[in-house]
Amino acid sequence: MSNTILVIGGGPAGLEASRGVAELGYKAILVEKNNFLGGMPIEAEYAALTPDFRDAEEAMNTMINPVLEDPNIEVFLNRSEERRVGKECRSRWSPYH
């Protein structure tokens, strides 16, 4: 059994999930369809939803940077995933083919 978790989506939930997986000592593979992490807060410039009305990108960097710096998290940008299950998904994303 693999100790690698696939997380789809690099928005706030995906970033937090990846970080949580890594904190538990597992490897996370984070797949994001855009060429940037941060999801809708950055895409829609949601400054109104950030603490102190800070720039959304600035606020999201507090979540993004720890993910990028964690050796247990591998990030793939500009990728999308169709519905895949079992061995097919594992062989596509796992470095262990």
Side-chain angles (χ1 to χ4, degrees), residues 2 7 9-10 19-20 35 50 65 67 76 83 90 94:
S2 173
V7 178
R19 200 173 59 78
N35 64 347
T50 63
N65 290 335
V67 167
F76 292 91
R83 184 169 187 246
R90 191 168 48 249
S94 174

Side-chain angles (χ1 to χ4, degrees), residues 3-7 9 11-30 63-64 66-68 70 72-74:
N3 289 331
T4 302
I5 308 298
L6 175 63
V7 178
L15 292 167
E16 188 62 23
S18 296
R19 200 173 59 78
V21 165
E23 284 181 1
L24 291 172
Y26 298 104
K27 183 165 178 59
I29 296 175
L30 175 59
M63 293 181 76
I64 294 169
V67 167
L68 294 176
D70 195 310
N72 283 331
I73 303 172
E74 190 172 359

Side-chain angles (χ1 to χ4, degrees), residues 9-92:
L15 292 167
E16 188 62 23
S18 296
R19 200 173 59 78
V21 165
E23 284 181 1
L24 291 172
Y26 298 104
K27 183 165 178 59
I29 296 175
L30 175 59
V31 179
E32 169 54 46
K33 69 179 177 180
N34 292 312
N35 64 347
F36 60 89
L37 294 173
M40 287 304 295
I42 290 178
E43 192 171 333
E45 299 178 12
Y46 281 166
L49 299 178
T50 63
D52 303 318
F53 296 99
R54 292 189 299 160
D55 176 71
E57 191 168 350
E58 177 187 334
M60 287 305 301
N61 279 336
T62 62
M63 293 181 76
I64 294 169
N65 290 335
V67 167
L68 294 176
E69 294 167 359
D70 195 310
N72 283 331
I73 303 172
E74 190 172 359
V75 176
F76 292 91
L77 300 176
N78 293 315
R79 305 282 178 97
S80 63
E81 182 55 59
E82 299 169 7
R83 184 169 187 246
R84 300 188 188 278
V85 294
K87 196 172 193 174
E88 183 180 351
C89 182
R90 191 168 48 249
S91 66
R92 182 166 180 192

